[in-house]
Amino acid sequence: MKIDRVELLELRMPLVHFFETSFDRTTNRRIVLVRAEAEGLAGWGEVTCGETPFYSYETPDTAWHILRDFLIPWALEKSWNLPAEIARRFEPVRGHNMAKAALENALWDIEAQRQGLPLARLIGGTREEIACGVSIGIQNSPEELLEKIQQEMEAGYQRIKVKIKLGWDVGILERIRSSFPGIRLMADANSAYTLADLPHLKLLDQFHLMMIEQPLGWDDLVDHACLQREIETPICLDESIHSAQDARKAIEIGACKIINVKLGRVGGYTAARELHDVCLARQVPIWCGGMLESGIGRAHNIAMSSLPGFVLPGDVSASRRYWHQDIIEPEVTVTARGTIPVPKQAGLGYTPNLARIAEVTVRKEFFDSRT
Ligand code: OSB
Ligand code: MG
C-alpha cells in the first residue's frame, strides 16, 4: 500500500450534554481526524485525546505536532505491506499513542476496503453485534443522575457506569442502589483516590459493583495490586494500560481483574489485538472504553468490540447521546436490547458525511507524497 496523501482536520463539536469526570468537565469537543488516501481509496481515523492533558498528556495540539512532524512524513516515505508494519515504524516515537492510532487505523480502513471485507472481519472480529453500556458523568445533582440512569435503562443499555470522586461516591451509589437495586452497575474514578483512602474505598464493596475503574494513580500498577488484595470489588484498569506488556504485568501482579481497552490509548489495532490476545489467553475479561468520540472513532470502536475477548458491555453507545448531528451516515443507533449490529459493508461500514465534516472543520493541513 502506497499512501498518496494524508489530511489532518480539526473539528469543533458541542456535546449535547456536558460530560464531567473527577478531572474536568467537557462541553465542547476539539476532534482531530486523519484522512489517508491510498490505492484510490480513502480511510479515516480519529485522535481520541481530550482537550486538556488531564486524562493523558496528549491534546489535539500535541497530536497534530507528532502527526505532522514525525508520523505522517514516515508514513509517506515508502510503501507498506500491512497496516501492522506502520505500527512498527512508529515505535521510535515514545508514547503519543492516540496520534499513532489515528493514522494506523485509517490504513486499516483502507486495507479492509481494498480486500472488500468489513473492518471488523479483517481484524479477526467474530461478533454479529456488540453489547453496549453507557458512561454517565457527574451531574449537577443526584436527582439528575437518577433521571439519566432511568432514561438509559429504558433505552435498553446493558449496564450503567457512573463517574465517582470523593464527595460523589458512597452517598450517590446508595441513592442509585435504592432506586435500581438489580442493575449492572460500575463506577469509574479516573484516578481520584490514593491508597490512603483504603477505608473509604472498602465502603464501595457493599454496592456489588461489576468493577471499579482506575481508582488510583493514572500511571500506577503496584498500588492497585495492594488495593485489589483489600477489596472484593474487581478493579478494572483504564489509564494505566498502554500496551499488551502493561496488561501482562498488571495481570501478573494482581493489579486488576478486568481491562478497559481504548484503541487510542494503546496506539491502534495492532497493539489492541496483542493486548486482546494476552487477556484472552489469561481469561481476563476486557471491554471497549470510549473517549466521547465522533462517528469515526465510534465506528472503529464497534469494529474492535467484535473481537471474541470483548465479553463485557463497553462504553460504546448511540451517536445521539453525544451529538445533535454526527459526522457519519447512518448515525450509530442501539437496539432495544442494548446492542449495536456490526456493519457488514467493506471498510468501516459507516460513511463519513463530508458536508457535515466541512461545516464543523476549523483547521486543515495536507501532506502529499513527493513520488
Ligand atoms: O475514563 O473512560 C473514561 C470519557 C473521557 C475520558 C475518559 C473516560 C471517558 C468516559 C466516556 O468514560 C466514555 C464515552 O461515553 O465515550
Ligand atoms: Mg475510564
Side-chain angles (χ1 to χ4, degrees), residues 257-269:
K257 295 182 177 163
I258 302 172
I259 293 177
N260 162 332
V261 185
K262 292 179 180 168
L263 267 171
R265 198 192 68 230
V266 304
Y269 284 109

Side-chain angles (χ1 to χ4, degrees), residues 39-58:
E39 321 268 324
L41 300 164
W44 292 78
E46 176 167 339
V47 178
T48 61
C49 62
E51 290 66 34
T52 53
F54 306 152
Y55 169 82
S56 80
Y57 58 79
E58 291 189 85

Side-chain angles (χ1 to χ4, degrees), residues 51-113:
E51 290 66 34
T52 53
F54 306 152
Y55 169 82
S56 80
Y57 58 79
E58 291 189 85
T59 68
D61 294 305
T62 69
W64 198 283
H65 159 55
I66 295 295
L67 280 155
R68 180 191 57 206
D69 296 328
F70 300 96
L71 307 180
I72 293 173
W74 292 347
L76 293 173
E77 86 198 350
K78 68 180 269 277
S79 190
W80 307 95
N81 289 318
L82 289 168
E85 228 190 291
I86 209 144
R88 294 281 95 80
R89 180 67 184 94
F90 290 169
E91 275 175 9
V93 169
R94 296 183 178 175
H96 296 279
N97 283 352
M98 294 168 181
K100 291 173 179 171
L103 181 47
E104 188 200 325
N105 294 352
L107 301 190
W108 282 94
D109 178 14
I110 293 175
E111 182 62 18
Q113 294 174 58

Side-chain angles (χ1 to χ4, degrees), residues 337-348:
R337 60 179 180 283
T339 63
I340 298 173
V342 177
K344 294 189 158 58
Q345 304 93 305
L348 262 186

Side-chain angles (χ1 to χ4, degrees), residues 276-297:
H276 167 270
D277 294 349
V278 160
C279 293
L280 195 59
R282 289 164 177 76
Q283 295 181 328
V284 170
I286 61 176
W287 54 277
C288 179
M291 290 294 289
L292 312 174
E293 287 91 345
S294 80
I296 299 292

Side-chain angles (χ1 to χ4, degrees), residues 287-329:
W287 54 277
C288 179
M291 290 294 289
L292 312 174
E293 287 91 345
S294 80
I296 299 292
R298 199 166 297 281
H300 279 292
N301 286 343
I302 294 166
M304 181 175 73
S305 302
S306 73
L307 290 168
F310 285 76
V311 294
L312 293 169
D315 280 346
V316 187
S317 58
S319 297
R320 61 185 294 264
R321 295 189 61 250
Y322 306 84
W323 316 113
H324 297 288
Q325 189 186 351
D326 204 341
I327 59 168
I328 52 165
E329 280 180 328

